[in-house]
Amino acid sequence: MQVGIVIFPSKKLQDFANSYRKRYDSKYSLIPPHLTLKAAFETNEEQLVEISAKLEEIAKRHEPFELRTNKISSFHPVNNVIYLKVEPTAELEGLFKELNSGSFGNPPEYAFVPHITIGQSLSNSEHADVFSQLRLQKIEHTETIDRFHLLYQLDNGIWNVYETFLLGK
């Protein structure tokens, strides 16, 4: 079974992201807007119980933190992903680092660039056209993050919440 760890932002930020995702994100119907803390990895039911216990301990060691986003950016030319840039904070980076310390799952494939994807699987020309318009938008959004989620993937590709972990509790 595939699992992953994410933060779901507030409904307000999800609605904003979805206003673009429904047009530009090929995975729009599979998962709500999110910030990935640990990319998908393979596990089984037995290991999932152990992972869940470890995540509970990690959550207790980290306090709620501010999530701030203020612009739209892109990973081009590495890939044609357009995203809401999330400002890195010590708290967010510390949580990411501990979740990716190697006790379960795979090490990160890329350096941590906190973001919420709003467009992917775009051709080069689509990316250039869409990004040239979106990058001019000014976005000012701040919210408090007090939880993260362990997700599992169904056979049809849709991601569901397996368990939610409250920070600092």
Side-chain angles (χ1 to χ4, degrees):
M1 105 179 2
Q2 287 283 316
V3 297
I5 303 169
V6 304
I7 292 170
F8 289 125
S10 64
K11 181 180 181 328
K12 179 181 177 182
L13 191 56
Q14 285 194 41
D15 287 347
F16 178 79
N18 275 334
S19 70
Y20 296 107
R21 289 184 73 227
K22 62 185 163 192
R23 288 177 284 180
Y24 307 124
D25 187 349
S26 59
K27 296 183 180 171
Y28 168 76
S29 63
L30 302 178
I31 187 169
H34 62 281
L35 187 155
T36 301
L37 290 172
K38 185 157 187 75
F41 61 96
E42 190 69 32
T43 192
N44 61 43
E45 292 283 340
E46 252 177 47
Q47 292 170 325
L48 202 52
V49 173
E50 294 171 23
I51 291 168
S52 185
K54 288 178 187 173
L55 294 178
E56 190 69 47
E57 290 303 313
I58 291 171
K60 287 178 186 175
R61 290 193 290 270
H62 293 270
E63 293 300 318
F65 58 89
E66 294 294 303
L67 180 143
R68 287 183 292 282
T69 183
N70 60 11
K71 74 177 192 174
I72 294 175
S73 194
S74 172
F75 288 126
H76 186 76
V78 175
N79 58 40
N80 288 346
V81 170
I82 300 172
Y83 60 88
L84 295 172
K85 183 180 186 327
V86 172
E87 293 300 313
T89 62
E91 297 90 346
L92 177 57
E93 289 179 337
L95 181 58
F96 174 85
K97 185 175 181 181
E98 189 164 0
L99 289 170
N100 288 278
S101 64
S103 57
F104 54 86
N106 306 318
E109 187 177 350
Y110 302 105
F112 184 47
V113 178
H115 69 280
I116 298 167
T117 299
I118 59 173
Q120 61 185 321
S121 306
L122 302 170
S123 70
N124 286 338
S125 59
E126 282 176 312
H127 175 273
D129 183 43
V130 172
F131 185 57
S132 69
Q133 295 172 29
L134 295 184
R135 72 178 186 191
L136 302 174
Q137 285 207 24
K138 232 2 206 170
I139 300 152
E140 293 293 332
H141 179 85
T142 302
E143 64 183 70
T144 300
I145 298 297
D146 66 353
R147 65 194 65 203
F148 62 86
H149 310 274
L150 175 63
L151 307 182
Y152 65 97
Q153 190 175 34
L154 300 173
D155 290 340
N156 64 3
I158 293 175
W159 289 89
N160 283 329
V161 174
Y162 177 82
E163 193 168 350
T164 297
F165 302 90
L166 297 177
L167 296 171
K169 301 194 179 200

